Amino acid sequence: MRKFSKTILMVAAVLAVALAACGCSGRDSGQKLVSDFPFLQRLGADSVAAVVVGDELKVDDGSPRLLVGDATLRALLGKVMPHSALGEAAYPAPCYIVGIKRMGSDRLVVAYWLATDGGGLGFMAAYDRSGRLTDYMNVGTWHYEQPSYRDEQGGTAIVESDRVTCDFAGHGAFTLVKENSEYEAQVTGVDLDKWQRMSDVWSQVREFGYKLDAKGHFVPASTLVKKRVGMTADQELSYAIDDLGCLPMSDAKKYDKINRQAATLKLADPQWMHDLQPIVRDAYDRNPAELLMWLNAHRDASSNHLAAVMATIYTDGLEEKADLLDAIDALPSAEARTYLGNLVDPWAPADDQ
């Protein structure tokens, strides 16, 4: 019996060492993470410890969150998150870290929440030990639940609900579970501050699986629709468009995927170009040269739909054309600069033409 107990203890010790080595031991301490990833020092070990997550990241109103100062935010996300996305300089939208998770021995995933209207924007970024950003992607709304309509006589309300949770499976894999719905609720608070869920108007649950590869890239591995009830075709299309904005920055096929969706939208929605404006603007902001070179490589107007979307961004006056011309001038290929210069020449608001 004594020999058996010693054997169990030895096996447990070996397993503990192995789990710690692969980063699968659940929650790291703040001190340990800061030691292994020194770029986190600017956050402080105690603050890091507060937002380290185990096997699940679930954000709600009471979840721990770490406010990220402007200088730190620029250091962590300056290459992929334009300062304009944070709101006006005088009234910046606060950005929080809501989760930090070690993925293997030398990779770190950080979950952020930008506190804008309508539940804000959730996103995730991957870093190596030196703090080099290796990938980035939007995820949707971590948590939002708010009545949008109230029947004063009946005491009921329609509540909009969005939630994204992240399940970490170990070995560099994780799943984003996205739940969206509108439901009827019984209101018990005077100012819509309390309600009880009654029945769904419509709802959906989808799972998006990813793997973090050796380069620190978010690699899509699976997509599963687990539930979809009561949704209209327009609602399904709207979420399909939103999903395009959640493609990882490293996805080499992201522009092809957006372009294919644009071809479908072109047949279904007269406003298709405007529907895709936020997606294309966001992709361009992350890497202007990459999108410009995609436009250069896809010159056939009959199959290149992103050029038409880009054109409306400037004809609608949403972006400064001078910045676009600067980005074109910075391209190393003279042929690409000439072609793209001619392509964008007519892209200006009607009043400027």
Side-chain angles (χ1 to χ4, degrees):
M1 183 68 177
R2 185 177 300 170
K3 182 182 294 186
F4 182 66
S5 298
K6 287 183 177 180
T7 302
I8 292 176
L9 289 173
M10 289 178 65
V11 171
V14 170
L15 285 174
V17 171
L19 286 171
C22 73
C24 305
S25 56
R27 293 177 184 268
D28 281 282
S29 70
Q31 291 285 359
K32 176 63 173 172
L33 277 182
V34 170
S35 174
D36 291 346
F37 298 88
F39 74 95
L40 294 176
Q41 287 178 354
R42 66 175 64 234
L43 299 174
D46 290 342
S47 296
V48 167
V51 291
V52 170
V53 298
D55 294 334
E56 182 185 52
L57 170 62
K58 187 174 184 179
V59 181
D60 56 34
D61 293 339
S63 299
R65 61 194 63 183
L66 173 59
L67 181 64
V68 186
D70 183 70
T72 301
L73 192 62
R74 288 177 181 272
L76 292 172
L77 295 170
K79 293 182 179 180
V80 296
M81 193 172 183
H83 191 65
S84 58
L86 305 180
E88 299 179 12
Y91 304 99
C95 188
Y96 300 87
I97 290 176
V98 292
I100 297 177
K101 176 70 174 180
R102 181 198 293 268
M103 302 290 280
S105 62
D106 61 351
R107 300 289 175 185
L108 202 67
V109 171
V110 180
Y112 297 88
W113 175 52
L114 185 65
T116 60
D117 293 336
L121 175 65
F123 45 97
M124 299 173 73
Y127 301 88
D128 63 14
R129 281 182 176 265
S130 69
R132 181 177 66 91
L133 181 86
T134 58
D135 212 350
Y136 171 101
M137 66 177 175
N138 296 332
V139 301
T141 301
W142 289 118
H143 173 67
Y144 177 76
E145 198 164 38
Q146 191 67 38
S148 60
Y149 167 78
R150 177 178 182 178
D151 181 348
E152 296 286 351
Q153 296 181 340
T156 59
I158 299 298
V159 179
E160 297 178 9
S161 179
D162 297 289
R163 176 181 289 279
V164 178
T165 56
C166 184
D167 296 325
F168 295 98
H171 305 292
F174 62 93
T175 300
L176 293 175
V177 181
K178 299 189 178 184
E179 302 176 63
N180 314 102
S181 67
E182 281 189 346
Y183 62 85
E184 189 176 65
Q186 183 68 43
V187 178
T188 57
V190 176
D191 297 317
L192 290 175
D193 56 341
K194 296 180 181 179
W195 61 87
Q196 182 176 358
R197 190 173 191 137
M198 295 169 60
S199 59
D200 287 346
V201 178
W202 63 266
S203 61
Q204 68 172 356
V205 179
R206 298 171 300 153
E207 293 185 352
F208 298 83
Y210 297 89
K211 292 182 179 179
L212 193 69
D213 69 11
K215 296 180 180 179
H217 293 167
F218 296 125
V219 180
S222 62
T223 302
L224 175 65
V225 178
K226 297 197 68 175
K227 175 183 178 182
R228 184 168 279 161
V229 179
M231 296 183 71
T232 66
D234 285 345
Q235 286 175 321
E236 291 185 23
L237 183 59
S238 177
Y239 279 98
I241 294 172
D242 287 346
D243 289 344
L244 295 173
C246 297
L247 295 172
M249 184 176 64
S250 64
D251 189 339
K253 298 293 184 181
K254 59 182 174 291
Y255 303 120
D256 296 328
K257 294 174 182 178
I258 298 171
N259 194 57
R260 283 196 295 272
Q261 184 66 69
T264 302
L265 282 173
K266 190 174 182 179
L267 300 175
D269 185 355
Q271 294 295 312
W272 69 277
M273 288 183 286
H274 295 86
D275 291 338
L276 286 177
Q277 280 180 344
I279 308 300
V280 175
R281 287 178 72 188
D282 194 55
Y284 176 80
D285 282 342
R286 306 239 184 281
N287 195 331
E290 186 179 54
L291 179 49
L292 289 172
M293 290 308 294
W294 187 93
L295 295 176
N296 178 66
H298 298 77
R299 299 186 180 188
D300 184 357
S302 65
S303 59
N304 178 353
H305 308 292
L306 297 194
V309 179
M310 283 285 288
T312 64
I313 291 172
Y314 295 93
T315 56
D316 289 352
L318 301 178
E319 298 285 354
E320 293 291 336
K321 189 174 176 181
D323 295 334
L324 173 64
L325 295 176
D326 287 343
I328 292 174
D329 288 342
L331 296 174
S333 168
E335 181 185 6
R337 293 197 301 269
T338 299
Y339 169 74
L340 291 169
N342 291 330
L343 176 68
V344 309
D345 185 57
W347 295 1
D351 292 343
D352 296 344
Q353 296 181 6

